[in-house]
Amino acid sequence: MTLFPEMFESLKLSILGRAIKNNIISIDAVNIRDYAFNKHNKVDDYTYGGGAGMLMQAEPVYQCHKAISEKIGTDKKIRTVYLTPQGQVLNQTLAMELAKEDELILLCGHYEGIDERVLEETVTDYISIGDYVLTGGELPAMVLIDTVSRFVEGVLNNDESAMTESFSNGLLEYPQYSRPEVWHDKAVPEILMSGHHENVEKWRFEQSLERTKERRPDLYDEFTKTHTKDKKGRWIL
Ligand code: ADE
């Protein structure tokens, strides 16, 4: 639900575009303005109590939500996410959880926000994509669609890739290299050329740990608190 459905066109490119073509996911950007109830198609108004800025009115949002729910036509209340800096911060765990839903409705706000009463009646989840303020909810909605889609089976063609990349075990991903073997006098780490699978895995895990400790000490602390080591001093995953 958005005032700028064109913004979602870019999701038709690349990996999500392929998933849409293959009918694995579908994205329907619905214009809230189509549910305006006055002849000027106006969807915003001044706030009671004064102050700068306009607010999105309750009724167009409500009618839009109702029309989508009826079109989907299930008895269940469809999980409805309002993208807002006041929400729970999106992370990999939340994305995986949302990917289990058959349907999601995403509500994108503009101006100074949306009339609280329609949020109370339609929204089930308040989600933020980070502690900074954007001009509207469209980019956050696209971020959410992208990360949630990665967990929908068949979206990524390598079944593993959703699980092996950064964050799946709470750590950042190890560095990776491709051809040529030497570039700008920098050689690919020798161990990766050894063909010794076990040693490569060990090296990658150590690199993950080191990189996380250096770049995201918060994640590293969390990892060490939630994992234990075996008798040989290796972390148990
Ligand atoms: N709308 C504006 N800023 C936002 C943010 N950081 N996350 C989600 N929705 C937003």
Side-chain angles (χ1 to χ4, degrees), residues 82-87 107 109 127-141:
Y82 177 42
L83 286 309
T84 166
Q86 298 182 8
L107 172 57
I127 298 181
S128 165
I129 63 158
D131 291 337
Y132 43 84
V133 180
L134 297 162
T135 56
E138 282 76 14
L139 289 171

Side-chain angles (χ1 to χ4, degrees), residues 40-183:
H40 305 292
N41 282 351
K42 203 168 81 77
V43 291
D44 60 326
D45 209 337
Y46 298 100
T47 53
Y48 280 117
M54 306 286 273
L55 211 59
M56 277 165 73
Q57 289 172 287
E59 187 62 13
V61 172
Y62 183 73
Q63 290 301 332
C64 184
H65 187 266
K66 192 162 159 247
I68 293 167
S69 304
E70 282 167 5
K71 189 177 168 199
I72 294 171
T74 92
D75 299 335
K76 285 182 296 176
K77 190 172 180 186
I78 298 156
R79 207 155 168 189
T80 299
V81 177
Y82 177 42
L83 286 309
T84 166
Q86 298 182 8
Q88 172 187 7
V89 178
L90 181 61
N91 61 23
Q92 194 84 334
T93 310
L94 180 55
M96 275 169 96
E97 189 203 310
L98 292 171
K100 293 181 194 150
E101 302 288 332
D102 287 331
E103 315 276 354
L104 284 173
I105 299 177
L106 309 180
L107 172 57
C108 306
H110 257 271
Y111 314 116
E112 290 303 299
I114 303 181
D115 190 307
E116 189 69 21
R117 294 166 295 184
V118 71
L119 300 178
E120 287 168 10
E121 289 203 13
T122 59
V123 172
T124 58
D125 298 73
Y126 294 82
I127 298 181
S128 165
I129 63 158
D131 291 337
Y132 43 84
V133 180
L134 297 162
T135 56
E138 282 76 14
L139 289 171
M142 290 196 273
V143 166
L144 186 144
I145 290 168
D146 189 286
T147 187
V148 169
S149 298
R150 294 179 69 257
F151 291 109
V152 174
E153 192 164 340
V155 167
L156 300 179
N157 54 19
N158 178 357
D159 279 354
E160 277 186 327
S161 46
M163 295 315 296
T164 55
E165 288 167 17
S166 291
F167 294 121
S168 59
N169 54 9
L171 296 173
L172 303 183
E173 202 180 27
Y174 46 80
Q176 299 193 88
Y177 304 86
S178 181
R179 287 196 286 187
E181 210 177 307
V182 179
W183 181 82

Side-chain angles (χ1 to χ4, degrees), residues 223 227-230 234-237:
F223 181 86
H227 291 74
T228 49
K229 287 181 177 177
D230 66 13
R234 292 176 303 207
W235 287 104
I236 303 167
L237 290 176

